Amino acid sequence: MHSPQASHSPHSDNAPHRAPLAALTLGAIGVVYGDIGTSPLYTVKEIFAPATGVALDQRNVIGAVSVILWALMLVVTLKYVILILRADNRGEGGGLALTALATRAVQGRPALRNALLLLGVFGATLFYGDSVITPAISVLGAIEGIEVVAPALEPYVVPASVVILIALFVVQRFGTALVGRFFGPILVLWFVTLGVSGALHVLQQPAILAAANPVHAWHFLAERGWYLFAAVGAIVLALTGAEALYADMGHFGRRPIQLAWSGLVLPSLTLNYLGQGALLIGDPSAISNPFYRLFPDAWMAPALLLATLAAIIASQAVISGAYSMTKQAIQLGFLPRMAVRYTSAREAGQIYMPAINWALLAGVVAATLFFGSSSELAGAYGLAVTLTMLITTVLTYFVVREAWHLPALVAIGATSFFLAIDLVLVAGGIVKFFDGGWFPLALGLLLFGIMSTWARGRALLLQNIRQDGLELRPFIDALDPASMNRAERTAVYLVADPSTVPQALLHNFKHNQVLHQRNLIVTVVFRELPWVPPAERVELHALGHDFWRITLNFGFMDTPDVPQALALAEAQGLHVPVFETSYFLSRETVVPTPGSGMAHWREQLFATMSRNAGGVAEFFRLPGNAVVELGTRVQI
């Protein structure tokens, strides 16, 4: 796999085709907003937890709800829905897509480009922390409603949550197409329920409407003193899931996500937070679980069922996002190949990755058992999310300034405003570091170490192959085809470095004393674009003596199907017969050696990952009965 290159290509035919606006908007409600839509389950309760030092009185209730509402307006609506959704990488969003966009904007400055690349990769690793905590806190927060319905069942909250989570991950192998059809309608019902239940309590305590005045938010924050960051650390729970608006843009498009937010999600969340505030003004004892106490006893069981379904949907969204993020990281060169199973014949984005699935399940169950409640998990839920928001703001600045060429004053002014908000939110998360905030941060740092080690190791591997290999062009020029045995077949050599003779070709030539009639030196390049059109898929160069150098270009969202791509070479005059072609692969065995490459433990880690990487044949969709694999040892 080659290093990614910048390009400015339009979508390929592999890009998802757009459905009608109404269907996309419904889908966006079901997938994009599940995470932020389940935040009312636990946010208000955590704001008035003893650790925040916020007294439960009418003034603070109005102030806290006001901060939530204006945080939704400034951070979610203004920053994400209006600004960042415009920073798309050919229609795709998310941490790695934004990183590719930002690094391409500064590609003339290598040091800055590398710094932004590392920053973006670190931000992407924090998403995995979110993928572990979101299912745990969402399902726990929903199932804790059992304590309100039947207090005697409290000991069963954690076991029931674990069973639901295990079932959720077990069914991932079957794909989300069938279940996905029901996501949108269920979430629509959920948001309507949020809005109606909140509105009924607002009618009983209209004083809560004062929260719409931002002055109350300002006074609430100003009066906190040193407890400000503890309160902010709880309020930020209302914003978790904001990154999903951007990450899922490629699936639905900007307009459906904006319509879903402004038309249903924001009004419903606003009414529900106002309703919880109104409930607490009239009945402070409801702080034990203000969300479920919004409902009369007769409606408690249906509310519990609906909340559980909403929590499962929210979990599904981040699980699918983790698969997509991992596939992007693999194709951008930050993770070793893993098995990718396509669960839909029509939608390339619907994938299942067994290794990621079971790793996430282990992490989610461990987090559920270790923390044991949504309140305990709330301490872990915030720092990773706010750091991701901060990194997004920094990367967006370089897109706005360098790619969009907006005036420096405008770019700096807008970035500084959001940067100040993000820094306050991060500070609120840091306060909870020892209460669980360390968990997603440690997970992110661990994954960053793995991803940076893999990227550096691959660079060293290519460097050593290039140093020890034979130059391809002189090798071809020195051949005397008339004196050689020629096999009447086409040989495809997949290589990372097209300038040197493939090791598999050398082994074949040395041991079998044979050269194929046609020899294709093929390099797969993943560009810093989501999609590459078929017209730009194949770059073909004739080298003489029936040798061709071929570059196959894919985007980080494309499915790298090499035989399908080679068939496109027919338009350039090269026929690659399906049943008369052999694929020769070189499997490098990495040998760590003392030297200036990497720290020895990193070399050992890279060697372990290299040994356990998924097969090249499966990853590039090569026909299993036409693959010949030859090994070689490479020192780093």
Side-chain angles (χ1 to χ4, degrees):
M1 190 165 63
H2 212 247
S3 59
Q5 302 294 323
S7 180
H8 298 277
S9 307
H11 283 352
S12 79
D13 292 344
N14 291 341
H17 299 288
R18 294 286 183 234
L21 181 61
L24 287 171
T25 303
L26 181 64
I29 293 171
V31 175
V32 176
Y33 293 110
D35 192 353
I36 199 169
T38 53
S39 294
L41 286 168
Y42 42 78
T43 298
V44 174
K45 179 175 67 173
E46 296 309 316
I47 292 174
F48 293 96
T52 64
V54 180
L56 183 56
D57 57 41
Q58 180 170 329
R59 178 182 176 86
N60 284 337
V61 168
I62 292 174
V65 173
S66 183
V67 174
I68 292 175
L69 300 186
W70 283 99
L72 290 173
M73 288 300 298
L74 293 176
V75 176
V76 183
T77 306
L78 186 58
K79 177 182 173 181
Y80 282 93
V81 175
I82 294 178
L83 175 62
I84 291 182
L85 282 183
R86 297 180 180 276
D88 66 289
N89 191 339
R90 303 302 168 97
E92 287 294 324
L96 288 177
L98 181 63
T99 300
L101 202 62
T103 54
R104 193 162 68 239
V106 298
Q107 59 185 341
R109 289 176 277 177
L112 177 59
R113 182 186 184 280
N114 290 335
L116 292 179
L117 188 62
L118 290 175
L119 182 65
V121 170
F122 178 61
T125 63
L126 294 175
F127 178 82
Y128 290 97
D130 189 19
S131 299
V132 168
I133 296 176
T134 292
I137 194 172
S138 298
V139 173
L140 271 172
I143 300 301
E144 282 169 354
I146 292 176
E147 301 172 12
V148 180
V149 177
L153 297 178
E154 179 182 351
Y156 299 98
V157 168
V158 172
S161 299
V162 170
V163 169
I164 290 173
L165 289 166
I166 290 175
L168 175 64
F169 281 91
V170 167
V171 301
Q172 292 300 313
R173 69 181 70 184
F174 303 110
T176 60
L178 181 62
V179 181
R181 297 174 189 171
F182 301 99
F183 281 8
I186 291 174
L187 261 293
V188 168
L189 178 59
W190 169 252
F191 283 115
V192 169
T193 302
L194 290 182
V196 171
S197 61
L200 292 175
H201 286 273
V202 171
L203 292 174
Q204 298 175 25
Q205 293 286 345
I208 191 63
L209 292 174
N213 187 343
V215 172
H216 292 287
W218 175 258
H219 286 160
F220 175 83
L221 295 174
E223 292 168 2
R224 299 279 67 80
W226 287 107
Y227 280 96
L228 167 67
F229 299 116
V232 169
I235 290 167
V236 76
L237 295 173
L239 306 176
T240 56
E243 280 285 326
L245 278 71
Y246 183 49
D248 287 311
M249 180 168 56
H251 296 288
F252 303 102
R254 180 194 311 158
R255 184 160 172 75
I257 292 175
Q258 292 173 330
L259 284 175
W261 174 255
S262 58
L264 177 65
V265 179
L266 178 60
S268 299
L269 291 175
T270 299
L271 286 171
N272 194 263
Y273 285 122
L274 287 170
Q276 291 191 47
L279 173 66
L280 293 177
I281 290 175
D283 181 12
S285 67
I287 192 60
S288 60
N289 200 317
F291 175 78
Y292 281 108
R293 292 286 294 274
L294 287 174
F295 300 93
D297 292 343
W299 288 93
M300 199 72 73
L304 175 62
L305 175 61
L306 184 59
T308 303
L309 291 173
I312 291 172
I313 292 171
S315 304
Q316 179 64 60
V318 295
I319 294 169
S320 300
Y323 298 155
S324 180
M325 179 79 76
T326 303
K327 181 184 175 186
Q328 292 180 37
I330 291 170
Q331 298 189 175
L332 287 172
F334 292 108
L335 282 175
R337 293 178 301 275
M338 301 180 196
V340 179
R341 298 179 186 171
Y342 296 86
T343 59
S344 171
R346 294 182 301 168
E347 300 293 336
Q350 292 186 13
I351 60 175
Y352 167 67
M353 303 188 70
I356 298 301
N357 188 69
W358 303 125
L360 282 179
L361 174 59
V364 169
V365 170
T368 303
L369 295 175
F370 180 78
F371 291 99
S373 71
S374 62
S375 293
E376 292 296 322
L377 267 168
Y381 204 31
L383 182 55
V385 174
T386 53
L387 279 173
T388 304
M389 291 179 176
L390 179 64
I391 291 170
T392 297
T393 300
V394 173
L395 293 174
T396 304
Y397 165 77
F398 290 96
V399 175
V400 171
R401 179 72 182 107
E402 304 292 341
W404 297 354
H405 304 294
L406 291 183
L409 189 62
V410 174
I412 293 173
T415 304
S416 299
F417 174 73
F418 292 119
L419 204 61
I421 296 175
D422 290 335
L423 287 172
V424 172
L425 296 176
V426 169
I430 291 175
V431 168
K432 300 189 295 182
F433 181 83
F434 293 106
D435 294 327
W438 59 269
F439 179 75
L441 190 61
L443 180 60
L445 288 172
L446 173 64
L447 290 171
F448 179 76
I450 291 172
M451 293 169 77
S452 60
T453 296
W454 179 258
R456 176 61 178 157
R458 288 295 299 172
L460 289 172
L461 187 66
L462 289 176
Q463 178 182 318
N464 287 331
I465 289 175
R466 190 175 295 116
Q467 287 177 350
D468 299 336
L470 297 175
E471 288 291 326
L472 180 62
R473 174 65 75 171
F475 174 83
I476 294 174
D477 292 341
L479 290 176
D480 181 11
S483 64
M484 299 176 184
N485 296 318
R486 304 297 293 266
E488 291 295 327
R489 289 179 64 84
T490 298
V492 174
Y493 297 94
L494 280 169
V495 297
D497 180 11
S499 67
T500 58
V501 181
Q503 291 294 316
L505 190 152
L506 285 176
H507 285 303
N508 194 34
F509 191 58
K510 176 181 178 181
H511 298 292
N512 299 324
Q513 298 292 305
V514 66
L515 190 67
H516 283 69
Q517 189 63 46
R518 287 169 301 279
N519 298 274
L520 314 183
I521 313 300
V522 176
T523 305
V524 176
V525 173
F526 289 103
R527 293 184 177 179
E528 293 176 347
L529 293 168
W531 315 98
V532 172
E536 299 179 18
R537 177 79 71 222
V538 180
E539 297 177 20
L540 180 64
H541 302 282
L543 302 176
H545 296 321
D546 293 315
F547 275 80
W548 285 266
R549 178 184 290 152
I550 300 177
T551 300
L552 302 181
N553 298 299
F554 293 96
F556 56 76
M557 294 294 289
D558 279 321
T559 299
D561 190 322
V562 168
Q564 186 183 75
L566 287 176
L568 298 174
E570 185 92 42
Q572 300 183 41
L574 177 62
H575 176 60
V576 183
V578 175
F579 299 108
E580 298 173 16
T581 299
S582 300
Y583 295 87
F584 288 86
L585 308 177
S586 295
R587 175 173 283 273
E588 299 92 0
T589 299
V590 177
V591 182
T593 56
S596 59
M598 290 190 292
H600 189 63
W601 68 267
R602 293 184 75 192
E603 291 184 351
Q604 293 282 4
L605 174 61
F606 175 71
T608 301
M609 287 192 291
S610 184
R611 282 195 303 271
N612 292 282
V616 177
E618 294 81 7
F619 188 75
F620 290 120
R621 302 196 139 189
L622 306 180
N625 59 355
V627 173
V628 180
E629 194 165 355
L630 300 169
T632 183
R633 293 168 64 86
V634 181
Q635 294 183 347
I636 62 169

